[in-house]
Amino acid sequence: MQFDKALPGSASMETGAKSHGTRTLSAVNRLRELIVTGKLKPGQRISERSLLEEEKELSRTPLREALKILGSEGLVEITPNRGAFVTKLSMSHIDSAMEVLIGLENIAATASCARITETELAEIASLHAAMIESAEDGNLLLYFQINQQIHQLIVDGAHNPALSRIYRAESLHIKRYRYVGNIEDTRWRNALAEHGQILEALFRRDGLLLRELLRAHHSKGWEVTRALVEAELR
C-alpha cells in the first residue's frame, strides 16, 4: 500500500498553513517592535481595534496569536475579561534580570572562546560590520537588533543549550528597557568601540579578557540605561 500520494487539496492546505504562519510571525515581529521602541508603552492596554486600524498589514487572527506568543515571552500580559497589556516591570525586577544576563555572559565567555567555530565567528564579524553601518545610517532599531543578536551568538558559541535558552528568554523579557539606553547618542557611539574590543578578544579566544570586557560593557551601558528607565517608569 502506498501513502506517498498527496490527498486531494493537501497542497493548498499546506500552502494556506504556511501563509497563515507567515502572517502570525509578521504580527509578532511588528508588535514586538512597537513594544521595544515604546510606541506601545509599559502598562498600556493593547486595543485590537486600534492596532487593526493603524497597522493595515495586520489581521485579527494573526494578531491574537501574536499576543499569545508575546505573552509567553513576558512582553505582554493577558488578563481574562480585561484584555492584553504591555508588561510593566518594576525597577528591582529589571535590575535582577540584568544581573542574571551579565552573569550568564560571564559564564559563556570562556566556554565560547574554547568552543565557538570559525563559521560562527565569521557570522559575528559580519553582523558587527552591519551594526556599524546601521549606526552610521542612524538606524537605531536595526542597530539595537543586531547588537542583541551579537550578544546572543556569543552566548550560543559556548554550545550550551540551557545557557542559550535562559539567556534568550531573559533578554526578550527586558528588551524594551535595554533599548531605552540606546536613545542616548553618546552611549550608542561608545558601545560600538567596546564591541570592537569584545570582537577582538573573541577572535583571539581570550576568555578571561572577553569576560572582563563584557562585564565592563554592560556596567557602563546599564549605568546610562538605568537612569533613563527610571525616568520612564515614574
Side-chain angles (χ1 to χ4, degrees), residues 37-110:
T37 58
K39 292 176 182 176
L40 289 173
K41 299 185 181 302
Q44 179 180 339
R45 186 178 184 278
I46 301 172
S47 168
E48 289 186 14
R49 176 180 294 181
S50 296
L51 275 175
L52 292 172
E53 289 175 354
E54 295 170 9
E55 305 289 330
K56 301 301 183 183
E57 74 278 10
L58 297 179
S59 54
R60 189 171 301 279
T61 299
L63 172 58
R64 290 180 173 176
E65 292 176 349
L67 288 171
K68 293 177 183 177
I69 292 171
L70 293 176
S72 69
E73 292 180 0
L75 291 177
V76 168
E77 293 178 351
I78 301 175
T79 306
N81 303 319
R82 293 189 63 216
F85 295 79
V86 179
T87 300
K88 184 175 183 178
L89 301 177
S90 67
M91 200 66 239
S92 61
H93 189 134
I94 302 167
D95 278 332
S96 297
M98 276 304 303
E99 189 176 331
V100 168
L101 288 175
I102 293 170
L104 291 174
E105 286 199 15
N106 283 345
I107 293 171
T110 52

Side-chain angles (χ1 to χ4, degrees), residues 96-198:
S96 297
M98 276 304 303
E99 189 176 331
V100 168
L101 288 175
I102 293 170
L104 291 174
E105 286 199 15
N106 283 345
I107 293 171
T110 52
S112 188
C113 283
R115 301 170 188 165
I116 197 167
T117 67
E118 293 300 317
T119 299
E120 290 166 336
L121 285 173
E123 182 180 3
I124 291 174
S126 177
L127 286 169
H128 180 74
M131 184 173 67
I132 293 173
E133 184 177 347
S134 67
E136 291 173 347
D137 292 341
N139 191 333
L140 175 57
L141 180 59
L142 182 58
Y143 163 85
F144 176 73
Q145 290 170 336
I146 297 173
N147 182 299
Q148 296 283 286
Q149 190 176 356
I150 288 172
H151 281 278
Q152 181 67 55
L153 288 175
I154 290 173
V155 173
D156 290 345
H159 292 241
N160 182 325
L163 187 64
S164 292
R165 184 179 66 252
I166 297 168
Y167 185 87
R168 183 175 293 106
E170 284 301 318
S171 293
L172 284 170
H173 200 202
I174 62 168
K175 183 170 281 191
R176 161 60 195 160
Y177 302 99
R178 296 180 77 184
Y179 175 85
V180 171
N182 292 278
I183 297 172
E184 174 60 55
D185 185 66
T186 302
R187 177 58 206 154
W188 188 7
R189 304 298 166 177
N190 289 342
L192 279 175
E194 292 163 16
H195 262 261
Q197 296 174 330
I198 288 168

